[in-house]
Amino acid sequence: MSNVPVAVVTGSNKGIGLAIVRALCKQFPGDVYLTSRDPQRGQAAVAQLQQEGLKPLFHQLDIDDLQSIRALRDFLKDKYGGINVLVNNAGIAFKVNDTAPFAVQAEVTLKTNFFGTRNVCTELLPLMKPYGEVVNVSSMVSASALGRCSQQLQQKFRSDTITEEELVQLMTKFVEDAKKNIHEKEGWPNTAYGVSKIGVTVLSRIQARLLNEQRKGDHILLNACCPGWVRTDMAGPKATKSPEEGAETPVYLALLPSSADAPHGQYVSEKTVQPW
Ligand code: NAP
């Protein structure tokens, strides 16, 4: 088994994820895994970074596929005995002009952004080594969507005692309400992406609390963040930041020094803890 530290970035064949891998290759003292659901796209991205003189490693990962997640888990467990840095970056968003019915957008978006990210956490968080860092890439849209939820939902999503099961029930209810076209009546904002990212931010707060309770003394820091508005296939060419600039806050959170005990359980933007 290798004693080399290891970092893993989900959805990193392009966009912000690729920029995070590029930065980690330069700054992280260990092996850095570029992962992609499509091995060809992943290998092409690895080749691109190799051209730049960097040496990322590759492993397949589709966060919608539990078998794929477990294959990566077993590989990392066998080869490294754990994980030092995990960046949950993979995500999807329908374009504003997409004509897919809202119910479909809700189901598909929540499936990857919330349930897929949660499945990765369920399988990989137990592998996190002491002094490790977990970064969940959420969005500022999570905060604005929270503000457009009913008071009752806002109270639940801001609660310091909400459980992961309760959050899963709420995310499931959103998809069901969207299918019945009663989501707005039930207090949800009219944004599938926004709700999925509320899920990611609240999940991060819950997981940080669980780490405090179950792994006190291991100094694992877990945060949600927003990369900013970044020029990628998702956000388009008009966005204000380059992918490298978008990677700055996630990379900052991934490389917090071992002496740091904060931020932890926070939603961070521009390297600054934001109110939730
Ligand atoms: P992007 O260019 O569309 O890249 C998304 C990445 O996620 C791609 O590598 C994509 O792979 C991957 N992915 C999607 N579904 C996946 C799955 N089921 N399993 C594994 N990988 C999957 O988007 P981006 O702008 O870089 O976004 C990265 C993260 O930042 C996302 O979580 C996004 O919500 C968040 N974010 C972005 C912005 C922005 O302005 N760009 C703002 C706030 C938050 P494929 O190539 O196979 O599709």
Side-chain angles (χ1 to χ4, degrees):
M1 197 183 294
S2 169
N3 271 330
V4 174
V6 61
V8 179
V9 184
T10 72
S12 46
N13 54 283
K14 67 177 184 178
I16 299 165
L18 177 61
I20 294 171
V21 168
R22 178 182 285 117
L24 289 179
C25 282
K26 294 175 186 169
Q27 296 175 54
F28 177 74
D31 289 350
V32 181
Y33 277 84
L34 185 155
T35 67
S36 170
R37 54 181 161 183
D38 181 279
Q40 274 190 336
R41 285 198 287 275
Q43 294 292 2
V46 166
Q48 186 187 334
L49 293 182
Q50 282 171 344
Q51 293 262 316
E52 300 171 21
L54 303 172
K55 295 190 174 72
L57 299 164
F58 176 72
H59 202 283
Q60 194 271 349
L61 175 65
D62 181 346
I63 70 165
D64 290 346
D65 176 358
L66 203 48
Q67 275 191 1
S68 167
I69 298 172
R70 289 183 173 154
L72 176 65
R73 175 200 65 189
D74 294 344
F75 167 80
L76 293 167
K77 199 173 173 185
D78 291 349
K79 179 151 187 203
Y80 298 94
I83 308 171
N84 300 84
V85 166
L86 172 64
V87 183
N88 281 302
N89 163 81
I92 58 158
F94 282 82
K95 301 283 180 229
V96 256
N97 60 0
D98 197 295
T99 53
F102 188 77
V104 172
Q105 298 201 15
E107 182 159 41
V108 172
T109 307
L110 272 280
K111 181 181 158 119
T112 299
N113 293 4
F114 177 72
F115 292 102
T117 300
R118 173 177 181 250
N119 285 343
V120 172
C121 289
T122 304
E123 300 299 330
L124 297 190
L125 288 193
L127 260 62
M128 289 306 297
K129 291 190 177 180
Y131 295 93
E133 272 103 10
V134 183
V135 185
N136 294 332
V137 180
S138 183
S139 169
M140 57 227 172
V141 175
S142 71
S144 55
L146 177 69
R148 284 185 280 130
C149 288
S150 67
Q151 284 304 322
Q152 200 194 2
L153 280 174
Q154 287 191 37
Q155 201 181 15
K156 287 181 181 165
F157 290 134
R158 290 200 175 99
S159 157
D160 288 326
T161 53
I162 183 174
T163 63
E164 195 169 321
E165 290 66 34
E166 285 165 342
L167 177 62
V168 166
Q169 276 173 18
L170 284 167
M171 292 291 119
T172 305
K173 183 176 185 302
F174 169 69
V175 175
E176 284 166 6
D177 289 348
K179 284 182 183 166
K180 291 183 247 165
N181 198 21
I182 57 167
H183 57 283
E184 286 182 290
K185 192 174 128 265
E186 291 294 303
W188 298 101
N190 202 30
T191 159
Y193 181 77
V195 172
S196 77
K197 292 298 192 181
I198 290 176
V200 173
T201 303
V202 176
L203 181 68
S204 307
R205 288 160 55 88
I206 294 168
Q207 287 168 338
R209 213 171 64 215
L210 291 176
L211 284 170
N212 292 345
E213 289 166 15
Q214 296 167 0
R215 297 195 57 185
K216 202 146 189 68
D218 278 351
H219 301 275
I220 297 165
L221 299 178
L222 185 153
N223 293 286
C225 70
C226 177
W229 191 32
V230 185
R231 290 186 295 277
T232 62
D233 288 348
M234 181 181 289
K238 288 190 188 144
T240 46
K241 286 188 182 183
S242 68
E244 279 58 47
E245 289 166 334
E248 278 178 24
T249 291
V251 169
Y252 151 76
L253 292 172
L255 297 178
L256 289 167
S258 56
S259 57
D261 53 14
H264 176 58
Q266 302 291 342
Y267 165 62
V268 179
S269 170
E270 306 298 336
K271 301 185 191 173
T272 310
V273 171
Q274 304 295 320
W276 177 249

